[in-house]
Amino acid sequence: MLVDSHAHIELEDFNNDRDDVVRRAREKGIDYIVTVGIDLDDCRRAVAVAEEYEMVYASVGIHPHAAAAIDESTYDALRELAKNEKVVAYGEIGLDFFRNLSPREVQIERFKEQLGLAHELDLPVIIHDREAHRETMEILELRKGNQRGIIHCFSGDYAMAKRCLDLGYLISVPGTVTYKNSSILRDVVRKVPLDKLLVETDCPFLTPEPKRGKRNEPANVVLTARKVADIKGVSFEEICRMTSQNAVNLFGIT
Ligand SMILES: [Zn+2]
Ligand SMILES: [Zn+2]
């Protein structure tokens, strides 16, 4: 059993072969894929894809890139979408100070609002943090005890991971853990307890080695799980079992 806790198979990158992509994932032993919305239209597509495939679940929320496009009607639309039984999380939300596609102050305000909405909806959150560790942690620490969820595509060091664990968050490991220059992430994987780890593809992005350079897809989460097994010195089966259990428990998939 294996779960890809963070994919974007609703994106048009998969429009020509989504059936094959889902089938290949199933053949590789992946039981569930969580496909994650990034703006309102994309959230609608994510829910539609989740309705189409039994093994696919959806997360809805507005990515920091699209934060500036949020208006009064956006949250009502998300509340409606979240009623769908295949919606298991709220996100991805957070801060992206690398690309800054929305102004930073707007990202921060919308992030706080969406943490509140996720709490209202009683959904775990999927947090995106790129080059915004300090601000992300400050905001999450303000909500201590009021939130549960995942730091997706974790890119901090172990000191930050420890703060996230203390707040009750899980740490999700992307395919970049297979890259030569990812020694800080491998250190995090080594030290974070197995009952706090998830694996993800973030496909079509971040393709793990040795497939780097090609479009990523959920079947490749196997490569990431193998690398995590190597780093932690436990069997591949144990990594699959533990990370899947963590995911299924958090998302409430039965
Ligand atoms: Zn992200
Ligand atoms: Zn993503």
Side-chain angles (χ1 to χ4, degrees):
M1 188 184 185
L2 194 49
V3 177
D4 182 355
S5 72
H6 191 112
H8 297 287
I9 61 167
E10 80 289 352
L11 290 179
E12 61 181 8
D13 305 65
F14 297 101
N15 280 358
N16 293 327
D17 64 346
R18 193 169 287 110
D19 287 352
D20 292 337
V21 165
V22 172
R23 180 182 47 76
R24 277 197 293 273
R26 197 180 302 112
E27 284 169 5
K28 283 279 182 185
I30 287 123
D31 293 77
Y32 303 115
I33 299 165
V34 179
T35 203
V36 180
I38 50 182
D39 61 29
L40 189 53
D41 283 341
D42 190 58
C43 287
R44 292 195 175 102
R45 285 191 290 271
V47 172
V49 168
E51 285 189 309
E52 192 173 343
Y53 302 97
E54 204 185 336
M55 69 183 291
V56 179
Y57 288 79
S59 180
V60 298
I62 309 297
H63 192 288
H65 289 342
I70 292 175
D71 63 27
E72 308 89 81
S73 66
T74 309
Y75 296 143
D76 287 337
L78 288 169
R79 275 189 189 91
E80 274 307 300
L81 277 176
K83 288 179 184 165
N84 189 292
E85 57 177 15
K86 295 298 287 287
V87 172
V88 294
Y90 191 96
E92 54 184 299
I93 58 174
L95 303 174
D96 194 312
F97 293 174
F98 178 68
R99 293 183 68 192
N100 288 306
L101 295 186
S102 288
R104 290 184 181 198
E105 6 8 305
V106 175
Q107 291 188 40
I108 288 170
E109 284 316 303
R110 300 295 95 86
F111 181 29
K112 289 178 178 169
E113 288 168 7
Q114 293 193 89
L115 286 168
L117 179 52
H119 181 68
E120 172 198 315
L121 295 168
D122 196 24
L123 288 170
V125 287
I126 298 179
I127 306 290
H128 171 105
D129 155 35
R130 191 157 183 207
E131 310 265 311
H133 298 336
R134 187 171 59 84
E135 292 83 354
T136 300
M137 292 312 299
E138 279 171 11
I139 291 169
L140 294 182
E141 273 160 2
L142 278 176
R143 295 196 57 87
K144 189 177 171 124
N146 272 314
Q147 214 94 50
R148 62 207 163 92
I150 299 166
I151 315 297
H152 115 85
C153 202
F154 188 80
S155 61
D157 59 8
Y158 179 69
M160 178 176 157
K162 181 75 176 62
R163 286 168 74 191
C164 295
L165 296 177
D166 289 345
L167 291 171
Y169 287 89
L170 301 179
I171 304 287
S172 184
V173 181
T176 50
V177 73
T178 65
Y179 299 175
K180 214 183 205 167
N181 62 0
S182 294
S183 55
I184 295 172
L185 180 56
R186 283 189 287 276
D187 181 61
V188 168
V189 169
R190 201 170 293 121
K191 292 172 180 165
V192 170
L194 245 182
D195 65 349
K196 302 293 180 194
L197 281 181
L198 303 174
V199 286
E200 65 170 82
T201 57
D202 203 15
C203 65
F205 318 108
L206 305 180
T207 312
E209 296 286 5
K211 297 192 174 175
R212 197 174 177 181
K214 297 189 193 127
R215 182 192 68 174
N216 200 5
E217 63 176 63
N220 292 335
V221 78
V222 168
L223 299 168
T224 301
R226 277 211 192 102
K227 186 71 186 180
V228 170
D230 279 357
I231 295 166
K232 291 198 89 63
V234 302
S235 69
F236 171 69
E237 290 72 24
E238 178 70 355
I239 295 298
C240 293
R241 192 179 67 80
M242 288 295 289
T243 57
S244 301
Q245 197 178 305
N246 298 340
V248 164
N249 287 346
L250 183 77
F251 294 128
I253 297 172
T254 46

